[in-house]
Amino acid sequence: MAVAQLSRPEADSAHALAVELRLLAAQLRRRLRQQASAAEWTESQRSVLLRLERQDGASVTELAQAEGVRPQSMGATVSSLMATGYVKGAPDPADGRRTLLSITPLTRKVLRQVRAAREDWLQHAIEARYSATEQKQLAGAVRLLQRLLD
């Protein structure tokens, strides 16, 4: 019984930290999004573009399955991206009836610009708000956070 009582404050502390970290991550994500308005994509469009960046050559059906939406909904998302020149389709060499989708050079350029704008804002914010010592502490904290994903 004494062991359970000793571990409870640690669990409460870990829970409070988890809540704080989740909120902070969400705020940082929103702020980073605000910094890069080179493309006004919806969440669905952004998700599709990032997936196609990682996995070139996917069909609408494969994208729908990966994103957990109906093929009709994915078709509408893909159509809007094709109309704006962010996605292109080509016949599948193995099955000409299927269309394989990929991002265009324009999309790669915009994604690079968006990432560069976010990294630039973040770099300047770090330099302006943290001393050299604090920047080293922040680097250590980043390494600790990376372990959460390992």
Side-chain angles (χ1 to χ4, degrees):
M1 179 121 176
V3 173
Q5 288 176 345
L6 288 176
S7 65
R8 190 71 216 148
E10 291 171 5
D12 290 344
S13 176
H15 179 262
L17 183 58
V19 169
E20 196 172 339
L21 185 56
R22 178 186 58 79
L23 293 172
L24 181 63
Q27 289 172 337
L28 181 59
R29 184 175 181 208
R30 277 192 298 275
R31 180 65 72 90
L32 286 171
R33 250 194 237 130
Q34 291 171 357
Q35 300 308 313
S37 60
E40 296 296 326
W41 294 317
T42 66
E43 275 299 312
S44 298
Q45 290 172 329
R46 183 179 297 114
S47 183
V48 166
L49 293 172
L50 293 175
R51 185 171 298 281
L52 286 174
E53 181 186 33
R54 289 186 309 269
Q55 170 197 343
D56 212 27
S59 69
V60 169
T61 302
E62 291 166 340
L63 288 172
Q65 289 172 344
E67 295 293 320
V69 298
R70 295 185 337 232
Q72 296 85 348
S73 298
M74 183 56 67
T77 300
V78 167
S79 291
S80 68
L81 290 168
M82 290 180 89
T84 54
Y86 291 117
V87 170
K88 63 183 177 181
D92 183 343
D95 182 353
R97 297 169 296 176
R98 281 179 17 125
T99 299
L100 294 180
L101 304 167
S102 60
I103 60 174
T104 63
L106 168 66
T107 308
R108 290 189 194 287
K109 179 181 176 184
V110 172
L111 287 171
R112 277 193 309 273
Q113 290 171 340
V114 165
R115 289 176 180 136
R118 290 175 178 174
E119 291 165 4
D120 185 59
W121 172 83
L122 195 51
Q123 175 187 344
H124 286 96
I126 289 169
E127 290 171 345
R129 295 184 178 139
Y130 297 108
S131 68
T133 301
E134 289 172 323
Q135 288 180 36
K136 287 179 185 176
Q137 291 172 334
L138 187 57
V142 167
R143 285 190 290 280
L144 288 174
L145 289 170
Q146 287 172 334
R147 284 185 17 208
L148 285 174
L149 303 176
D150 292 342

